[in-house]
Amino acid sequence: MKTQRATIDRWNPDINVLSRAGGIIQHGGLVAFPTETVYGLGADALNHDAVRKIYEAKGRPSDNPLILHVDSILMASQLVHMNHLAEKLALKFWPAPLTMVLPAKSIIPSITRGGLDTAAVRMPDNPIALGLISSAQTPIAAPSANLSGRPSPTDAESVYADMNGRIDMIIDGGSSNLGIESTVIDLTDPNRILLLRPGGMNRELIEAELGMPLEVPDTQSAKRSPGTRYRHYAPSIPVKIWHTDEKFPECDYDSAGYIGMHEPPVKTAGMLMCSSWDEYSHELFAAFRKFEAKGYLCIITEWPAENSGINEGLRDRIIRAAVD
Ligand code: AMP
Ligand code: MG
């Protein structure tokens, strides 16, 4: 399969490219596109055969459900049973890196939901993503546009590296603002709202709007979000964590990469110093891919010790990458 590439200016989007891409989705094809979190690999969420191609292209286990991307709250309400809390959050925050799991309506094919009776919906905060959904006139099922188990792509070049020849089109809309995936919450039971995956949207903002704390699921409920079972977000070389008040991890520093906010006690071959936790999140997955491409043997990441902002999501991604 030949993968076409098109570059779009996010603030001056070429309508011709969006309608071509929307046509591919309508005909059951696969299009990778930018969102504010990471790049997504999209197909018509209501077309069983199209969604099957996503699992094939990524090598994704078929019980790992997909997020349905919508361009309006109305579109979401046609897919899932919204409750008053879901509506409240959607009105307050969407478009945002906030994914809500709710009881699914039967219009969603089972394959999109990974066989569950719930489905995950989100309105992305990126004009190209919203334009693509509008152009396709259907919700777009989209996991991250990487091969399963690899770090999520935050630019079109990383998508190309994993997906060239496997999908119909890549829309290049520049690098993703946030760099880590959305926060996923489960609102199926409005009395007990679960944080299934920390991510781009801070937990504090959601809790303030809900007026109640999010619960972190025990291992039993964690099974409800099948994606969290798999090794994820990982480069092919070992990732080690540096707690700044502890010893710097051992490895061959001449063939190692470091990413963090603070100056490490030794120099490594590759050094990516960030000036904020947001910048760290933005650079993390790109750094994994860059260090790997340089042929380094290990990656050292600073532990985001501070309890603020994006750090809960950032820690989650670092832990997952560092697990053997
Ligand atoms: P990804 O698209 O790869 O970033 O992952 C999507 C995440 O959303 C995975 O962790 C899924 O397990 C989770 N997810 C999607 N749909 C559901 C659902 N119906 N119930 C629980 N979790 C879901
Ligand atoms: Mg993913």
Side-chain angles (χ1 to χ4, degrees):
M1 178 189 293
K2 173 131 180 58
T3 302
Q4 33 169 324
R5 292 175 76 169
T7 302
I8 297 196
D9 175 355
R10 170 179 330 180
W11 298 117
N12 189 16
D14 183 340
I15 300 302
N16 292 321
V17 173
L18 283 179
S19 60
R20 188 149 43 96
I24 292 173
I25 299 280
Q26 283 174 341
H27 288 97
L30 300 183
V31 177
F33 61 98
T35 80
E36 83 279 35
T37 58
V38 302
Y39 270 68
L41 176 55
D44 178 353
L46 305 182
N47 177 338
H48 174 280
D49 293 336
V51 171
R52 189 174 37 79
K53 290 185 201 164
I54 294 183
Y55 288 96
E56 284 167 8
K58 281 184 61 94
R60 183 177 174 107
S62 63
D63 65 349
N64 190 355
L66 307 177
I67 296 171
L68 291 92
H69 293 74
V70 297
D71 66 355
S72 66
I73 299 178
L74 178 67
M75 189 184 264
S77 67
Q78 289 160 347
L79 302 169
V80 291
H81 296 278
M82 302 278 284
N83 53 38
H84 69 287
L85 290 177
E87 191 181 295
K88 194 172 183 209
L89 293 180
L91 284 169
K92 172 80 179 176
F93 296 120
W94 276 3
L98 173 65
T99 298
M100 300 199 269
V101 172
L102 289 156
K105 293 189 173 173
S106 57
I107 185 176
I108 307 176
S110 171
I111 188 169
T112 310
R113 301 182 255 124
L116 300 173
D117 55 9
T118 55
V121 288
R122 169 169 111 84
M123 192 195 302
D125 188 10
N126 177 296
I128 299 171
L130 292 172
L132 178 63
I133 301 163
S134 304
S135 161
Q137 292 175 25
T138 184
I140 296 184
S144 47
N146 51 284
L147 290 173
S148 203
R150 300 263 305 136
S152 295
T154 54
D155 55 34
E157 212 38 58
S158 308
V159 177
Y160 187 78
D162 280 16
M163 290 296 158
N164 184 31
R166 294 172 167 263
I167 64 178
D168 298 287
M169 185 176 185
I170 299 171
I171 302 177
D172 183 346
S175 85
S176 296
N177 293 351
L178 290 173
I180 65 172
E181 301 87 345
S182 60
T183 300
V184 182
I185 60 172
D186 185 337
L187 291 130
T188 320
D189 174 359
N191 299 312
R192 201 171 158 248
I193 300 174
L194 305 173
L195 176 63
L196 298 184
R197 174 178 79 181
M201 178 137 192
N202 302 346
R203 167 213 285 254
E204 291 77 22
L205 288 174
I206 305 168
E207 291 178 333
E209 188 60 19
L210 290 172
M212 65 165 119
L214 295 175
E215 294 187 29
V216 176
D218 51 34
T219 39
Q220 194 54 34
S221 339
K223 291 206 184 97
R224 296 174 58 144
S225 186
T228 56
R229 280 206 302 269
Y230 299 102
R231 184 169 191 260
H232 237 167
Y233 319 118
S236 55
I237 46 177
V239 174
K240 301 185 178 188
I241 300 174
W242 175 42
H243 298 264
T244 48
D245 55 352
E246 289 175 15
K247 204 167 150 284
F248 198 59
E250 301 276 346
C251 71
D252 177 1
Y253 302 128
D254 292 336
S255 55
Y258 168 80
I259 176 168
M261 287 256 290
H262 296 96
E263 188 92 36
V266 290
K267 285 250 173 306
T268 55
M271 299 274 287
L272 218 161
M273 299 294 299
C274 306
S275 54
S276 66
W277 298 117
D278 286 338
E279 187 187 344
Y280 189 166
S281 305
H282 182 263
E283 296 299 325
L284 181 74
F285 290 139
F288 284 170
R289 285 178 179 263
K290 195 173 105 194
F291 292 153
E292 201 180 47
K294 283 196 183 286
Y296 294 160
L297 301 176
C298 119
I299 296 171
I300 300 172
T301 55
E302 178 184 342
W303 180 247
E306 210 174 294
N307 272 328
S308 73
I310 196 91
N311 281 5
E312 190 176 16
L314 182 56
R315 282 188 213 134
D316 173 83
R317 303 309 183 271
I318 290 173
I319 291 172
R320 284 169 190 281
V323 167
D324 288 328

